[in-house]
């Protein structure tokens, strides 16, 4: 059976076809399911496929659209969340043997909002256990990178990146505590947004570290990420951290252009030890943005060396607290590496934790200063250490050292809560040719400006249009 | 549990509770120190687990040292959540 290519299209392309009844939601969802069936044995992006339920919902969407009840641009679009989002009546494993049989009796706010918008859940996506760290085997083995199956899609939203790169669905959801959306987006050559802290409700999403965790949309284009954020953003009384702040028109913002916007380029810390291929790709991207009319501004980020230690202590302490009871009752069911990290977190003192929160205050103040000087801050997407640029997945993940320093270029946005967008900006020379990424950060709640920049960059380049070579 | 002073001070250094550690000499935890801290934190891990965790904790000492050596003014309060709404309008 040939592998259908329909799910490789963007939401921006599919939406008008569905609305105009030139394409049936049933046809689209079936194509998505066929592609998952054909490619998932190799890519292992999905842990659960909800074929029957998805086709039922597709038929309902078909009837609604035929009756003139078109709900909006996501109506009839197949999507899948990382298996960390509670989905009523659908197994939610958290990628862990500890919760492998959990069947929630409630729905996460974000998946409920997508359902109301008419998006169709086709399954749940692979991840690293409880969204923690990297290099683990996962519940049913790791997801693979569709650009080369010997390579990791990065984590922890590994399935969310891999499913997009393999063209199984046009939209996915991830979570990001220290780069877990942006790492897979970079490694898989797709787009991932870690929004402002409080922009998207986390109700019904299994926590890792309450003050670092973010939910975010992923897609193959910036425009589709903007469309998804439009639907899922906003206040939620069930998540006290969700901000009661108006949701702007992100799709309209895409057309804003970038002429005159100030692009901050760090002159310290973030470009130290960047791999030469990554560095060259980033420099090319800067030239493209300058040609589009952005004004380049040199930026020195104070306290940059505090980001890694601050993130490390907060993450270790909060995750150990979150999993306290599970560790006491089911320690042997955890992946050995995750268990090590959680148990090590119990050794941090309140002094360390409070010191980290005070360091965070300094970093938040620094972001206030930085975004007085520029509108968008450009950073590398991922760990600057060259040996981790391409991470090979082994059948046995290394056990020591158990927790390498988390990449500062991602953690800055988690520690301070600023929004950050990653998108593809090139490929390694190869073989294999693997995606390279660029990261843009902006002021709090200014995702619209990130979309302006990202959309303008994608309009001027074609990196996002390349198709991963995975075959059935 | 009977704990001598040397061990107690070493344990405090491990958990960040003492200012007496030299910045050049991060505390290298020994098994007994780990037992004390684990018990003090109410976790009480077995020696088998403590031996697994020892290299993990050693690898974190450098990061901890960065924070512990950081001097912050009395006016710097902790930020638990992110005060996003205020900053969005202030910086535009």
């Amino acid at each position: 059976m040939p592998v259908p290519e329909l799910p490789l299209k963007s939401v921006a392309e599919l939406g008008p076809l569905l609305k105009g009844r030139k394409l049936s939601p049933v046809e689209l969802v079936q194509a998505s399911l066929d592609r998952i069936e054909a490619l998932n044995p190799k890519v292992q992006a999905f842990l659960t496929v909800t074929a029957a339920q998805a086709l039922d919902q597709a038929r309902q969407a078909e009837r609604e659209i035929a009756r003139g009840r078109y709900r909006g641009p996501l109506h009839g679009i197949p999507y899948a969340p990382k298996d960390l989002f509670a989905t009523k009546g659908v197994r939610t494993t958290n990628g862990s043997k500890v919760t492998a049989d959990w069947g929630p009796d409630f729905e996460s706010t974000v998946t409920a909002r997508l359902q109301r918008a008419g998006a169709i859940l086709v399954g749940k996506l692979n991840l690293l256990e409880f969204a923690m760290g990297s290099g683990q085997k996962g519940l049913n083995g790791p997801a693979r990178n569709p650009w080369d199956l010997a390579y990791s899609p990065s984590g922890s939203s590994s399935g969310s990146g891999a499913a997009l790169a393999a063209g199984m669905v046009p939209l996915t959801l991830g979570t990001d505590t220290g780069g877990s959306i942006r790492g897979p987006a970079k490694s898989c050559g797709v787009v991932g947004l870690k929004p402002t802290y409080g922009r998207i409700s986390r109700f019904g999403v299994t926590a890792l570290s309450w003050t670092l965790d973010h939910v975010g949309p992923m897609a193959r284009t910036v425009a589709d990420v903007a469309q998804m954020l439009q639907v899922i953003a906003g206040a939620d009384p069930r998540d006290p951290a969700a901000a009661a702040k108006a949701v702007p028109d992100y799709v309209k913002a895409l057309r804003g252009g970038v002429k005159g916007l100030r692009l901050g380029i760090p002159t310290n810390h973030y470009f130290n030890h960047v791999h030469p291929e990554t560095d060259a790709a980033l420099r090319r991207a800067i030239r493209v943005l300058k040609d589009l009319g952005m004004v380049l501004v040199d930026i020195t980020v104070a306290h940059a060396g505090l980001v890694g230690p601050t993130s490390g202590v907060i993450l270790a302490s909060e995750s150990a607290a979150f999993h306290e009871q599970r560790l006491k009752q089911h320690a042997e069911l955890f992946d050995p590496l995750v268990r090590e990290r959680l148990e090590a977190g119990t050794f941090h003192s309140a002094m360390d934790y409070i010191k980290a929160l005070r360091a965070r205050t300094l970093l938040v103040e620094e972001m206030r200063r930085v975004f007085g000087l520029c509108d968008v801050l450009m950073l590398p997407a991922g760990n600057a250490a060259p040996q981790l640029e391409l991470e090979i997945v082994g059948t046995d993940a290394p056990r020591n050292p158990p927790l390498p320093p988390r990449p500062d270029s991602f953690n800055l946005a988690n520690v301070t809560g600023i929004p950050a967008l990653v998108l593809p900006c090139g490929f390694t020379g190869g073989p294999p040719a693997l995606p390279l990424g660029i990261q843009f950060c902006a002021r709090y709640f200014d995702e619209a400006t990130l979309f302006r920049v990202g959309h303008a960059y994608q309009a001027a380049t074609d990196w996002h249009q390349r198709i991963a070579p995975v075959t059935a | 549990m009977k704990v001598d002073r040397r061990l107690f001070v070493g344990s405090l250094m491990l958990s960040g509770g003492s200012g007496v550690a030299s910045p050049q000499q991060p505390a290298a935890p020994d098994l007994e120190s780990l037992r004390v801290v684990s018990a003090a934190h109410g976790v009480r891990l077995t020696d088998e687990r403590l031996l697994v965790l020892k290299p993990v904790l050693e690898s974190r000492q450098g990061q901890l040292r960065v924070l512990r050596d950081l001097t912050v003014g009395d006016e710097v309060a902790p930020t638990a959540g992110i005060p996003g709404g205020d900053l969005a309008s202030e910086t535009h």
Side-chain angles (χ1 to χ4, degrees):
Chain A
M1 181 179 71
V3 181
E5 295 186 356
L6 196 53
L8 283 164
K9 290 186 180 297
S10 67
V11 173
E13 294 170 295
L14 293 167
L17 297 175
L18 291 164
K19 184 181 182 184
R21 299 177 63 191
K22 295 182 174 127
L23 173 66
S24 156
V26 178
E27 185 185 350
L28 176 57
V29 167
Q30 187 61 61
S32 178
L33 294 170
D34 289 345
R35 201 164 168 93
I36 294 166
E37 184 180 358
L39 301 180
N40 203 51
K42 284 185 176 176
V43 178
Q44 299 190 84
F46 278 79
L47 291 175
T48 302
V49 179
T50 54
Q53 176 184 309
L55 286 168
D56 279 349
Q57 290 178 2
R59 283 187 281 272
Q60 183 188 336
E62 187 178 61
R63 287 192 296 272
E64 287 179 357
I65 293 171
R67 290 172 191 161
R69 296 181 193 160
Y70 181 67
R71 299 193 199 184
L74 299 193
H75 202 174
I77 300 288
Y79 87 98
K82 183 179 187 174
D83 203 15
L84 208 63
F85 291 73
T87 42
K88 189 175 181 179
V90 177
R91 185 177 76 132
T92 301
T93 68
N94 300 306
S96 175
K97 289 176 185 167
V98 180
T99 51
D101 300 318
W102 182 38
D105 60 359
F106 63 97
E107 192 79 17
S108 79
T109 293
V110 168
T111 52
R113 285 179 179 173
L114 286 166
Q115 193 175 354
R116 277 200 296 277
I120 295 172
L121 178 95
V122 295
K124 306 292 289 291
L125 293 165
N126 206 347
L127 69 159
L128 301 176
E129 185 178 33
F130 286 116
M132 194 163 200
S134 59
Q136 305 143 310
K137 293 181 183 177
L139 187 64
N140 292 341
R144 302 278 173 165
N145 193 326
W147 291 95
D148 187 302
L149 296 172
Y151 284 78
S152 168
S154 297
S156 65
S157 306
S158 48
S160 306
L164 290 168
M168 295 169 168
V169 281
L171 297 174
T172 63
L173 285 170
T175 62
D176 192 317
T177 305
S180 286
I181 286 173
R182 290 162 289 158
K186 172 266 194 182
S187 296
C188 295
V190 300
V191 183
L193 173 75
K194 184 213 79 69
T196 307
Y197 188 82
R199 180 71 294 179
I200 300 177
S201 167
R202 300 172 304 179
F203 173 77
V205 183
T206 303
L208 172 59
S209 174
W210 296 282
T211 71
L212 296 171
D213 289 345
H214 299 69
V215 164
M218 301 173 70
R220 287 187 293 274
T221 68
V222 172
D224 283 3
V225 165
Q227 190 67 72
M228 197 177 193
L229 181 64
Q230 196 75 58
V231 167
I232 62 179
D236 177 11
R238 292 180 297 181
D239 178 359
K245 196 166 173 62
V247 177
D249 188 336
Y250 295 119
V251 178
K252 187 178 176 187
L254 290 168
R255 301 189 292 270
V258 297
K259 193 171 177 60
L261 283 180
R262 296 168 298 169
L263 179 65
I265 315 289
T267 56
N268 67 321
H269 191 78
Y270 291 102
F271 283 84
N272 296 344
H273 313 299
V274 168
H275 190 277
E277 286 186 308
T278 301
D279 190 70
L282 293 173
R283 302 293 168 193
R284 282 196 300 272
I286 291 169
R287 283 198 293 276
V288 169
L289 293 165
K290 187 178 178 207
D291 289 346
L292 289 170
M294 292 193 82
V295 178
L296 307 187
V297 181
D298 285 345
I299 297 288
T300 302
V301 180
H303 309 304
L306 287 178
V307 172
T310 300
S311 167
V313 169
I314 294 173
L315 173 59
S317 304
E318 293 186 357
S319 59
F322 178 73
H323 286 291
E324 180 185 8
Q325 289 306 315
R326 275 175 289 275
L327 263 183
K328 283 180 181 169
Q329 294 165 3
H330 307 292
E332 71 287 352
L333 292 181
F334 281 88
D335 180 288
L337 190 56
V338 173
R339 183 181 176 184
E340 280 176 24
R341 291 174 180 175
L342 293 175
E343 287 178 340
T346 66
F347 281 81
H348 287 302
S349 68
M351 284 277 286
D352 289 331
Y353 181 68
I354 297 295
K355 192 68 170 290
L357 296 184
R358 296 177 79 195
R360 166 184 270 168
T361 301
L362 299 178
L363 290 162
V364 167
E365 288 172 358
E366 176 61 4
M367 289 302 97
R368 186 198 311 257
R369 186 190 69 84
V370 163
F371 288 108
L373 301 172
C374 65
D375 301 299
V376 174
L377 180 67
M378 193 213 75
L379 297 174
N383 198 330
Q387 68 270 24
L388 295 179
E389 190 61 41
L390 308 172
E391 184 183 359
I392 296 174
V393 174
T395 51
D396 268 312
R399 290 291 176 220
N400 281 307
L403 188 59
R406 300 176 70 78
D408 286 357
S409 63
F410 286 148
N411 283 325
L412 177 66
N414 296 85
V415 168
T416 62
I418 57 171
L421 181 75
V422 162
L423 55 152
C425 69
F427 284 80
T428 61
L434 297 171
L436 299 169
I438 188 170
Q439 179 177 205
F440 300 112
C441 302
R443 298 181 183 94
Y444 294 93
F445 294 98
D446 195 11
E447 285 81 0
T449 297
L450 292 180
F451 294 147
R452 284 170 66 186
V453 174
H455 186 62
Y457 180 76
Q458 290 201 322
T461 58
D462 66 356
W463 305 116
H464 60 293
Q465 292 172 348
R466 301 194 182 187
I467 307 295
V470 63
T471 56
Chain B
M1 182 191 297
K2 186 178 177 183
V3 179
D4 69 23
R5 185 178 181 283
R6 179 195 59 79
L7 190 57
F8 183 67
V9 172
S11 305
L12 281 175
M13 287 161 63
L14 174 68
S15 62
S18 167
V20 299
S22 160
Q24 290 78 33
Q25 298 289 326
D30 58 43
L31 185 59
E32 190 54 30
S33 297
L34 295 181
R35 282 194 196 112
V36 172
V37 174
S38 180
H41 289 191
V43 182
R44 293 189 181 279
L45 295 165
T46 64
D47 281 3
E48 183 188 4
R49 292 307 302 162
L50 293 175
L51 286 170
V52 170
L53 298 180
K54 192 167 175 291
V56 184
L57 294 167
E58 283 170 351
S59 73
R60 293 183 179 182
Q61 289 299 300
Q63 280 207 333
L64 282 173
R65 183 57 55 197
V66 172
L67 277 181
R68 289 172 185 171
D69 287 347
L70 175 69
T71 303
V72 289
D74 290 349
E75 73 284 4
V76 180
T79 300
I82 308 294
D86 297 340
L87 293 178
S89 54
E90 284 174 19
T91 51
H92 261 296

